[in-house]
Amino acid sequence: MDSDATWESRLPKNYMDIISRSDSASYLYPLPKEELYNHFLNHPTIIDNGTKSFAIDKKSEKSCYMIGARGLEIEHVEKPQYWQWKSLPVSRFSEVAELKEVWFLHIKGKIEKMMLPPGTYGVYFVYKLTENISVFRRVPVELSVDFNGQVKGNGPNNYLDPLHPRQNDRGDGWREIEMGEFSIKDGENDRLVFMLKEYDTKTKKNGLIVEGIEIRAKHG
């Protein structure tokens, strides 16, 4: 019992709520707290009808959320001539969104009441590119993060092509680029909004695959 209490103290305060939002709740509820902690640490748990995932970040041991493509507002995603939904073995989600052809990009997401402990968090766009990536070598995107009405994004000059230095290979089959950061104090868990925009209507865009947008604690 003492060991179980010790491991429970390392779990997020809202871990029971997270379990209740998971499709695997019947498996997770009976687990001893140590096994539950290690499950969250090593296996992102899909929640909210497949639109988000939850995990414990291995470096910070804080909560880490990803909003999957199905949980984002993607302009024209419902039109198959512009986007298509597909399954990829490397994705934690059942579907990702692949860009077929658009003249502008507008991807938006938001979270209400995240239940994150105090600290500084980064917001990361998680994606990959198909072989046809030349357009993203010359067309930058604008990234922004709005927390409690304060915008602290990384601005308009961000390139999704991996030749540019701000990219990071996650090691899980995906790349990421930081959209911005925000800091939470005790008792602050308000609305977080994040956006990726590209409005160069003279250039046709394609070759982008969106897995989602991740929120995790920053280190150092």
Side-chain angles (χ1 to χ4, degrees):
M1 292 295 294
D2 289 342
S3 175
D4 218 38
T6 298
W7 283 103
E8 184 169 21
S9 69
R10 299 179 67 180
L11 289 165
K13 293 181 179 179
N14 63 328
Y15 77 92
M16 292 295 286
D17 175 62
I18 291 166
I19 292 175
S20 71
R21 293 155 58 188
S22 168
D23 289 341
S24 54
S26 60
Y27 166 75
L28 296 174
Y29 273 127
L31 289 180
K33 298 305 183 288
E34 180 178 0
E35 290 184 31
L36 182 61
Y37 177 87
N38 285 312
H39 179 88
F40 285 149
L41 198 68
N42 296 294
H43 304 284
T45 298
I46 304 302
I47 61 175
D48 295 349
N49 299 314
T51 62
K52 299 185 186 74
S53 73
F54 169 83
I56 294 176
D57 181 62
K58 290 184 177 181
K59 292 183 179 179
S60 68
E61 295 193 18
K62 290 185 177 182
S63 297
C64 174
Y65 292 91
M66 185 185 290
I67 299 89
R70 281 287 187 187
L72 299 173
E73 299 175 26
I74 303 176
E75 190 81 19
H76 297 316
V77 75
E78 75 285 354
K79 298 180 180 178
Q81 67 268 37
Y82 300 130
W83 291 85
Q84 66 176 346
W85 294 102
K86 63 189 300 183
S87 298
L88 290 180
V90 294
S91 178
R92 67 188 66 185
F93 297 104
S94 60
E95 290 182 306
V96 296
E98 180 174 357
L99 173 60
K100 295 173 67 177
E101 177 181 298
V102 295
W103 293 97
F104 64 90
L105 282 173
H106 190 181
I107 300 173
K108 178 181 178 181
K110 59 184 177 181
I111 296 185
E112 308 276 353
K113 307 294 183 183
M114 288 173 293
M115 293 296 294
L116 292 172
T120 299
Y121 293 82
V123 180
Y124 303 86
F125 180 63
V126 182
Y127 68 100
K128 63 167 58 233
L129 299 172
T130 64
E131 293 181 2
N132 186 12
I133 63 172
S134 60
V135 65
F136 292 105
R137 291 177 179 159
R138 64 180 187 273
V139 176
V141 297
E142 180 177 346
L143 304 171
S144 64
V145 172
D146 180 336
F147 181 63
N148 290 349
Q150 296 184 350
V151 179
K152 295 184 178 180
N154 283 331
N157 296 313
N158 303 277
Y159 292 87
L160 298 181
D161 185 81
L163 295 178
H164 287 267
R166 290 197 59 233
Q167 316 309 309
N168 178 43
D169 187 337
R170 292 166 56 90
D172 61 357
W174 298 90
R175 303 193 68 81
E176 68 180 20
I177 184 169
E178 185 175 343
M179 302 179 72
E181 66 177 46
F182 63 98
S183 295
I184 289 180
K185 300 177 182 178
D186 287 321
E188 276 191 338
N189 278 291
D190 212 334
R191 189 176 63 123
L192 174 69
V193 180
F194 30 83
M195 283 192 290
L196 180 152
K197 296 187 291 185
E198 195 289 310
Y199 290 146
D200 176 10
T201 56
K202 297 179 181 179
T203 305
K204 183 170 63 178
K205 271 71 68 175
N206 55 16
L208 174 68
I209 302 176
V210 179
E211 184 179 40
I213 293 177
E214 186 171 80
I215 299 98
R216 68 174 187 266
K218 300 198 75 172
H219 317 293

